[in-house]
PDB file of all heavy atoms in Angstrom:
ATOM      1  N   ARG R  10      -0.656  21.568 -62.134  1.00 93.00           N
ATOM      2  CA  ARG R  10       0.510  22.404 -61.828  1.00 93.00           C
ATOM      3  C   ARG R  10       1.723  21.851 -62.544  1.00 93.00           C
ATOM      4  O   ARG R  10       2.019  20.656 -62.469  1.00 93.00           O
ATOM      5  CB  ARG R  10       0.722  22.410 -60.313  1.00 93.00           C
ATOM      6  CG  ARG R  10       1.774  23.296 -59.813  1.00 93.00           C
ATOM      7  CD  ARG R  10       1.767  23.261 -58.263  1.00 93.00           C
ATOM      8  NE  ARG R  10       2.930  23.895 -57.733  1.00 93.00           N
ATOM      9  CZ  ARG R  10       4.073  23.259 -57.517  1.00 93.00           C
ATOM     10  NH1 ARG R  10       4.199  21.981 -57.778  1.00 93.00           N
ATOM     11  NH2 ARG R  10       5.128  23.911 -57.040  1.00 93.00           N
ATOM     12  N   THR R  12       5.998  22.522 -63.394  1.00 96.00           N
ATOM     13  CA  THR R  12       7.223  23.233 -63.107  1.00 96.00           C
ATOM     14  C   THR R  12       8.112  23.137 -64.352  1.00 96.00           C
ATOM     15  O   THR R  12       8.432  22.048 -64.802  1.00 96.00           O
ATOM     16  CB  THR R  12       7.924  22.599 -61.882  1.00 96.00           C
ATOM     17  OG1 THR R  12       7.046  22.620 -60.780  1.00 96.00           O
ATOM     18  CG2 THR R  12       9.196  23.360 -61.535  1.00 96.00           C
ATOM     19  N   LEU R  13       8.490  24.298 -64.876  1.00 96.00           N
ATOM     20  CA  LEU R  13       9.272  24.372 -66.104  1.00 96.00           C
ATOM     21  C   LEU R  13      10.694  24.849 -65.781  1.00 96.00           C
ATOM     22  O   LEU R  13      10.871  25.767 -65.005  1.00 96.00           O
ATOM     23  CB  LEU R  13       8.662  25.370 -67.100  1.00 96.00           C
ATOM     24  CG  LEU R  13       7.183  25.189 -67.432  1.00 96.00           C
ATOM     25  CD1 LEU R  13       6.734  26.286 -68.389  1.00 96.00           C
ATOM     26  CD2 LEU R  13       6.944  23.798 -68.026  1.00 96.00           C
ATOM     27  N   SER R  40       5.041  31.031 -59.709  1.00 95.00           N
ATOM     28  CA  SER R  40       6.360  31.188 -59.094  1.00 95.00           C
ATOM     29  C   SER R  40       7.377  31.380 -60.202  1.00 95.00           C
ATOM     30  O   SER R  40       7.276  30.792 -61.264  1.00 95.00           O
ATOM     31  CB  SER R  40       6.694  29.946 -58.271  1.00 95.00           C
ATOM     32  OG  SER R  40       8.005  30.023 -57.776  1.00 95.00           O
ATOM     33  N   LEU R  41       8.368  32.235 -59.930  1.00 95.00           N
ATOM     34  CA  LEU R  41       9.394  32.544 -60.912  1.00 95.00           C
ATOM     35  C   LEU R  41      10.716  32.765 -60.206  1.00 95.00           C
ATOM     36  O   LEU R  41      10.807  33.575 -59.305  1.00 95.00           O
ATOM     37  CB  LEU R  41       9.005  33.805 -61.669  1.00 95.00           C
ATOM     38  CG  LEU R  41      10.007  34.425 -62.644  1.00 95.00           C
ATOM     39  CD1 LEU R  41      10.138  33.512 -63.863  1.00 95.00           C
ATOM     40  CD2 LEU R  41       9.565  35.800 -63.044  1.00 95.00           C
ATOM     41  N   THR R  42      11.733  31.985 -60.599  1.00 95.00           N
ATOM     42  CA  THR R  42      13.075  32.204 -60.071  1.00 95.00           C
ATOM     43  C   THR R  42      14.058  32.166 -61.240  1.00 95.00           C
ATOM     44  O   THR R  42      13.860  31.477 -62.229  1.00 95.00           O
ATOM     45  CB  THR R  42      13.497  31.149 -59.029  1.00 95.00           C
ATOM     46  OG1 THR R  42      13.421  29.852 -59.636  1.00 95.00           O
ATOM     47  CG2 THR R  42      12.622  31.185 -57.812  1.00 95.00           C
ATOM     48  N   VAL R  43      15.130  32.959 -61.099  1.00 95.00           N
ATOM     49  CA  VAL R  43      16.145  33.038 -62.170  1.00 95.00           C
ATOM     50  C   VAL R  43      17.517  33.014 -61.500  1.00 95.00           C
ATOM     51  O   VAL R  43      17.730  33.669 -60.467  1.00 95.00           O
ATOM     52  CB  VAL R  43      15.995  34.365 -62.957  1.00 95.00           C
ATOM     53  CG1 VAL R  43      17.024  34.413 -64.071  1.00 95.00           C
ATOM     54  CG2 VAL R  43      14.587  34.547 -63.502  1.00 95.00           C
ATOM     55  N   SER R  44      18.439  32.283 -62.138  1.00 93.00           N
ATOM     56  CA  SER R  44      19.789  32.251 -61.607  1.00 93.00           C
ATOM     57  C   SER R  44      20.775  31.983 -62.730  1.00 93.00           C
ATOM     58  O   SER R  44      20.501  31.165 -63.621  1.00 93.00           O
ATOM     59  CB  SER R  44      19.912  31.159 -60.560  1.00 93.00           C
ATOM     60  OG  SER R  44      21.223  31.147 -60.032  1.00 93.00           O
ATOM     61  N   ARG R  54      19.174  29.941 -65.756  1.00 96.00           N
ATOM     62  CA  ARG R  54      18.082  28.977 -65.655  1.00 96.00           C
ATOM     63  C   ARG R  54      16.896  29.712 -65.024  1.00 96.00           C
ATOM     64  O   ARG R  54      17.020  30.318 -63.960  1.00 96.00           O
ATOM     65  CB  ARG R  54      18.516  27.811 -64.759  1.00 96.00           C
ATOM     66  CG  ARG R  54      17.411  26.785 -64.564  1.00 96.00           C
ATOM     67  CD  ARG R  54      17.903  25.732 -63.547  1.00 96.00           C
ATOM     68  NE  ARG R  54      16.918  24.728 -63.307  1.00 96.00           N
ATOM     69  CZ  ARG R  54      17.030  23.458 -63.642  1.00 96.00           C
ATOM     70  NH1 ARG R  54      18.125  23.034 -64.248  1.00 96.00           N
ATOM     71  NH2 ARG R  54      16.066  22.597 -63.372  1.00 96.00           N
ATOM     72  N   THR R  56      13.138  29.121 -63.634  1.00 97.00           N
ATOM     73  CA  THR R  56      12.184  28.101 -63.166  1.00 97.00           C
ATOM     74  C   THR R  56      10.863  28.793 -63.007  1.00 97.00           C
ATOM     75  O   THR R  56      10.731  29.757 -62.259  1.00 97.00           O
ATOM     76  CB  THR R  56      12.644  27.471 -61.830  1.00 97.00           C
ATOM     77  OG1 THR R  56      13.964  26.957 -61.986  1.00 97.00           O
ATOM     78  CG2 THR R  56      11.713  26.355 -61.417  1.00 97.00           C
ATOM     79  N   ILE R  57       9.851  28.265 -63.734  1.00 96.00           N
ATOM     80  CA  ILE R  57       8.511  28.839 -63.691  1.00 96.00           C
ATOM     81  C   ILE R  57       7.551  27.766 -63.252  1.00 96.00           C
ATOM     82  O   ILE R  57       7.581  26.651 -63.755  1.00 96.00           O
ATOM     83  CB  ILE R  57       8.092  29.385 -65.062  1.00 96.00           C
ATOM     84  CG1 ILE R  57       8.960  30.585 -65.466  1.00 96.00           C
ATOM     85  CG2 ILE R  57       6.600  29.761 -65.105  1.00 96.00           C
ATOM     86  CD1 ILE R  57       8.652  31.161 -66.838  1.00 96.00           C
ATOM     87  N   VAL R  58       6.657  28.122 -62.332  1.00 96.00           N
ATOM     88  CA  VAL R  58       5.554  27.231 -61.958  1.00 96.00           C
ATOM     89  C   VAL R  58       4.274  27.873 -62.452  1.00 96.00           C
ATOM     90  O   VAL R  58       4.029  29.064 -62.242  1.00 96.00           O
ATOM     91  CB  VAL R  58       5.488  27.019 -60.427  1.00 96.00           C
ATOM     92  CG1 VAL R  58       4.282  26.179 -60.045  1.00 96.00           C
ATOM     93  CG2 VAL R  58       6.798  26.412 -59.918  1.00 96.00           C
ATOM     94  N   LEU R  85       9.421  19.721 -66.012  1.00 95.00           N
ATOM     95  CA  LEU R  85       9.888  18.774 -65.019  1.00 95.00           C
ATOM     96  C   LEU R  85       8.752  17.908 -64.498  1.00 95.00           C
ATOM     97  O   LEU R  85       8.949  16.735 -64.146  1.00 95.00           O
ATOM     98  CB  LEU R  85      10.556  19.509 -63.836  1.00 95.00           C
ATOM     99  CG  LEU R  85      11.859  20.224 -64.180  1.00 95.00           C
ATOM    100  CD1 LEU R  85      12.318  21.084 -63.006  1.00 95.00           C
ATOM    101  CD2 LEU R  85      12.934  19.252 -64.580  1.00 95.00           C
ATOM    102  N   HIS R  91      11.081  14.782 -59.603  1.00 93.00           N
ATOM    103  CA  HIS R  91      12.013  15.916 -59.466  1.00 93.00           C
ATOM    104  C   HIS R  91      11.908  16.449 -58.035  1.00 93.00           C
ATOM    105  O   HIS R  91      11.002  16.124 -57.305  1.00 93.00           O
ATOM    106  CB  HIS R  91      11.703  16.991 -60.511  1.00 93.00           C
ATOM    107  CG  HIS R  91      10.366  17.617 -60.398  1.00 93.00           C
ATOM    108  ND1 HIS R  91       9.217  17.013 -60.882  1.00 93.00           N
ATOM    109  CD2 HIS R  91       9.951  18.756 -59.835  1.00 93.00           C
ATOM    110  CE1 HIS R  91       8.160  17.763 -60.637  1.00 93.00           C
ATOM    111  NE2 HIS R  91       8.563  18.835 -60.006  1.00 93.00           N
ATOM    112  N   VAL R  92      12.905  17.259 -57.680  1.00 94.00           N
ATOM    113  CA  VAL R  92      12.953  17.832 -56.331  1.00 94.00           C
ATOM    114  C   VAL R  92      12.620  19.307 -56.427  1.00 94.00           C
ATOM    115  O   VAL R  92      13.160  20.022 -57.282  1.00 94.00           O
ATOM    116  CB  VAL R  92      14.392  17.659 -55.739  1.00 94.00           C
ATOM    117  CG1 VAL R  92      14.451  18.292 -54.367  1.00 94.00           C
ATOM    118  CG2 VAL R  92      14.763  16.182 -55.682  1.00 94.00           C
ATOM    119  N   GLU R  93      11.699  19.744 -55.622  1.00 95.00           N
ATOM    120  CA  GLU R  93      11.320  21.155 -55.534  1.00 95.00           C
ATOM    121  C   GLU R  93      11.554  21.665 -54.115  1.00 95.00           C
ATOM    122  O   GLU R  93      11.219  20.977 -53.170  1.00 95.00           O
ATOM    123  CB  GLU R  93       9.834  21.351 -55.880  1.00 95.00           C
ATOM    124  CG  GLU R  93       9.471  21.134 -57.290  1.00 95.00           C
ATOM    125  CD  GLU R  93       8.029  21.554 -57.604  1.00 95.00           C
ATOM    126  OE1 GLU R  93       7.348  22.152 -56.745  1.00 95.00           O
ATOM    127  OE2 GLU R  93       7.610  21.277 -58.728  1.00 95.00           O
ATOM    128  N   ARG R  94      12.083  22.874 -54.024  1.00 96.00           N
ATOM    129  CA  ARG R  94      12.268  23.508 -52.732  1.00 96.00           C
ATOM    130  C   ARG R  94      12.018  24.993 -52.831  1.00 96.00           C
ATOM    131  O   ARG R  94      12.124  25.584 -53.895  1.00 96.00           O
ATOM    132  CB  ARG R  94      13.686  23.304 -52.204  1.00 96.00           C
ATOM    133  CG  ARG R  94      14.017  21.890 -51.788  1.00 96.00           C
ATOM    134  CD  ARG R  94      13.200  21.521 -50.516  1.00 96.00           C
ATOM    135  NE  ARG R  94      13.446  20.170 -50.097  1.00 96.00           N
ATOM    136  CZ  ARG R  94      12.718  19.104 -50.454  1.00 96.00           C
ATOM    137  NH1 ARG R  94      11.706  19.234 -51.255  1.00 96.00           N
ATOM    138  NH2 ARG R  94      13.014  17.929 -49.956  1.00 96.00           N
ATOM    139  N   GLU R  95      11.696  25.575 -51.684  1.00 97.00           N
ATOM    140  CA  GLU R  95      11.473  26.989 -51.590  1.00 97.00           C
ATOM    141  C   GLU R  95      12.061  27.433 -50.242  1.00 97.00           C
ATOM    142  O   GLU R  95      12.125  26.650 -49.310  1.00 97.00           O
ATOM    143  CB  GLU R  95       9.958  27.292 -51.631  1.00 97.00           C
ATOM    144  CG  GLU R  95       9.631  28.751 -51.621  1.00 97.00           C
ATOM    145  CD  GLU R  95       8.140  29.027 -51.799  1.00 97.00           C
ATOM    146  OE1 GLU R  95       7.366  28.082 -51.901  1.00 97.00           O
ATOM    147  OE2 GLU R  95       7.798  30.220 -51.838  1.00 97.00           O
ATOM    148  N   LEU R  96      12.479  28.654 -50.155  1.00 97.00           N
ATOM    149  CA  LEU R  96      12.980  29.221 -48.927  1.00 97.00           C
ATOM    150  C   LEU R  96      12.086  30.392 -48.507  1.00 97.00           C
ATOM    151  O   LEU R  96      11.624  31.149 -49.383  1.00 97.00           O
ATOM    152  CB  LEU R  96      14.413  29.725 -49.094  1.00 97.00           C
ATOM    153  CG  LEU R  96      15.035  30.409 -47.900  1.00 97.00           C
ATOM    154  CD1 LEU R  96      16.430  29.886 -47.663  1.00 97.00           C
ATOM    155  CD2 LEU R  96      15.070  31.910 -48.097  1.00 97.00           C
ATOM    156  N   GLY R 136      11.842  24.015 -47.776  1.00 97.00           N
ATOM    157  CA  GLY R 136      11.094  22.768 -48.013  1.00 97.00           C
ATOM    158  C   GLY R 136      10.102  22.952 -49.133  1.00 97.00           C
ATOM    159  O   GLY R 136      10.187  23.902 -49.911  1.00 97.00           O
ATOM    160  N   THR R 159      11.110  32.895 -51.641  1.00 94.00           N
ATOM    161  CA  THR R 159      11.953  32.923 -52.843  1.00 94.00           C
ATOM    162  C   THR R 159      11.271  32.471 -54.092  1.00 94.00           C
ATOM    163  O   THR R 159      11.665  32.839 -55.188  1.00 94.00           O
ATOM    164  CB  THR R 159      13.175  31.968 -52.661  1.00 94.00           C
ATOM    165  OG1 THR R 159      12.680  30.641 -52.450  1.00 94.00           O
ATOM    166  CG2 THR R 159      14.056  32.401 -51.525  1.00 94.00           C
ATOM    167  N   GLY R 160      10.286  31.633 -54.009  1.00 92.00           N
ATOM    168  CA  GLY R 160       9.746  30.975 -55.181  1.00 92.00           C
ATOM    169  C   GLY R 160      10.392  29.594 -55.296  1.00 92.00           C
ATOM    170  O   GLY R 160      11.386  29.300 -54.654  1.00 92.00           O
ATOM    171  N   ILE R 161       9.822  28.783 -56.150  1.00 94.00           N
ATOM    172  CA  ILE R 161      10.249  27.395 -56.307  1.00 94.00           C
ATOM    173  C   ILE R 161      11.550  27.296 -57.099  1.00 94.00           C
ATOM    174  O   ILE R 161      11.710  27.967 -58.111  1.00 94.00           O
ATOM    175  CB  ILE R 161       9.153  26.575 -57.045  1.00 94.00           C
ATOM    176  CG1 ILE R 161       7.839  26.632 -56.276  1.00 94.00           C
ATOM    177  CG2 ILE R 161       9.605  25.149 -57.299  1.00 94.00           C
ATOM    178  CD1 ILE R 161       7.826  25.917 -54.960  1.00 94.00           C
ATOM    179  N   VAL R 162      12.458  26.472 -56.619  1.00 95.00           N
ATOM    180  CA  VAL R 162      13.592  25.993 -57.428  1.00 95.00           C
ATOM    181  C   VAL R 162      13.406  24.516 -57.548  1.00 95.00           C
ATOM    182  O   VAL R 162      12.937  23.842 -56.619  1.00 95.00           O
ATOM    183  CB  VAL R 162      14.984  26.370 -56.830  1.00 95.00           C
ATOM    184  CG1 VAL R 162      15.205  27.864 -56.846  1.00 95.00           C
ATOM    185  CG2 VAL R 162      15.135  25.844 -55.436  1.00 95.00           C
ATOM    186  N   ALA R 163      13.731  23.964 -58.713  1.00 95.00           N
ATOM    187  CA  ALA R 163      13.495  22.540 -58.958  1.00 95.00           C
ATOM    188  C   ALA R 163      14.603  21.967 -59.849  1.00 95.00           C
ATOM    189  O   ALA R 163      15.189  22.677 -60.650  1.00 95.00           O
ATOM    190  CB  ALA R 163      12.142  22.363 -59.622  1.00 95.00           C
ATOM    191  N   ILE R 164      14.807  20.653 -59.674  1.00 93.00           N
ATOM    192  CA  ILE R 164      15.792  19.952 -60.494  1.00 93.00           C
ATOM    193  C   ILE R 164      15.317  18.510 -60.641  1.00 93.00           C
ATOM    194  O   ILE R 164      14.705  17.954 -59.703  1.00 93.00           O
ATOM    195  CB  ILE R 164      17.190  20.063 -59.839  1.00 93.00           C
ATOM    196  CG1 ILE R 164      18.281  19.692 -60.823  1.00 93.00           C
ATOM    197  CG2 ILE R 164      17.263  19.231 -58.591  1.00 93.00           C
ATOM    198  CD1 ILE R 164      19.651  20.154 -60.388  1.00 93.00           C
TER     199      ILE R 164
END
Side-chain angles (χ1 to χ4, degrees):
R10 185 175 168 272
T12 303
L13 308 178
S40 174
L41 172 71
T42 58
V43 182
S44 181
R54 179 185 179 114
T56 305
I57 293 178
V58 177
L85 294 171
H91 62 280
V92 178
E93 289 188 7
R94 289 292 179 266
E95 183 174 3
L96 177 134
T159 60
I161 301 292
V162 293
I164 196 163

